[in-house]
Amino acid sequence: MDMSLLEPKSVVSSPFSSFRHQVQRFSRCSSCIGKFSRASYSNGVPNKAYCSGAVSSIGQDKLPAEGFTHQINGTNGLSSKLFSRDRRLLDAVDDQYDGIVIDPNGLPSNPVVFSSNLRFSLSHWKKKGKKGVWLKLLVEQSELIPIALKAGFQYHHAEPEYLMLTYWIPDGPCMLPSNASHHVGVGGFVINDRNEVLVVQEKYCSPAFANFWKIPTGFIVQIETEFIEVIAFRHAHNIAFEKSDLFFVCMLRPLSTEIIVDDLEIQAAKWMPLAEFVEQSLVKEDVMFKKIIDICIARLDKYYCGLNVHQLVSKFDGKLSSLYYNTIEGEDLTCTGK
């Protein structure tokens, strides 16, 4: 590719002959052949390029490293390298652990500009002694994901509206916290004044549990009850998606006897006498489930105290928290009725 210089009138060969971007023209040129300034590109992305020395005799590998912008192959159909001094830090804030949180709303939409600014920012933050970098990419920014991965970012977690990536700057093992390792489920032991337990039959279950009446469990939404206590909780590993599971059994008092069934998940629901409920073969034969029901019955008879909730504010974060416990010296925590 040849470039025509406006002043003086001469033609020189360009070291950028492999570029797909063709330089349309130069706004001005100094009297020294080979010095040029501002160029515009035919793909509509304006940029600034500077070079000193004889253009015909300098190779691409001889250009100053400062000011180079590397373009990812294949992005927007482009496969060349774009050189620019027009680089800037990405919009970001420091976190309390000497890390960086990049603002997703301030990211350039152009992948070439994003690549340049990302690498420039990482270099700057490394010089500043920063540690972990958090990069949230929204759904509409998904074309930037391959660029971030090529720059060294790693997947952390994903939600329906975004993907979170991280980058650890210092040498040595990454100290950033990993993604959530546990699921949390709840089982509600809801018993009314007539000593009846709220039970359900699930719509989707294995044939062995098709006719089993169980307490409502799972990742449930809020129900119209009054919380009494956490009776017990179970911890198990590798339950779903290789995550661990925390399952809390709570005693609840119903605020209404009306039952509204979620047809998407529940086949049937009813109030069942407690004596009938515990006589089911699956309750009697399963060691874990039988122990849970025994604890619930002991709580009803005031032989057992679960974990009561206490609202406290910590100076560490100034937020209201719920602390669950049942016995502490100096406090009267005698088990009360339902």
Side-chain angles (χ1 to χ4, degrees), residues 35-69:
K35 291 185 177 180
F36 59 92
S37 60
R38 189 177 184 86
S40 58
Y41 291 82
S42 60
N43 69 342
V45 180
N47 227 316
K48 295 180 180 179
Y50 297 84
C51 178
S52 62
V55 177
S56 59
S57 63
I58 186 170
Q60 178 175 306
D61 59 341
K62 301 295 185 180
L63 291 173
E66 182 65 22
F68 284 9
T69 298

Side-chain angles (χ1 to χ4, degrees), residues 6-53:
L6 299 183
E7 292 180 14
K9 294 182 179 179
S10 61
V11 177
V12 295
S13 62
S14 169
F16 305 113
S17 59
S18 62
F19 282 13
R20 291 188 184 180
H21 302 290
Q22 294 187 359
V23 179
Q24 294 177 330
R25 65 172 185 166
F26 293 98
S27 59
R28 64 182 296 274
C29 179
S30 68
S31 59
C32 176
I33 295 177
K35 291 185 177 180
F36 59 92
S37 60
R38 189 177 184 86
S40 58
Y41 291 82
S42 60
N43 69 342
V45 180
N47 227 316
K48 295 180 180 179
Y50 297 84
C51 178
S52 62

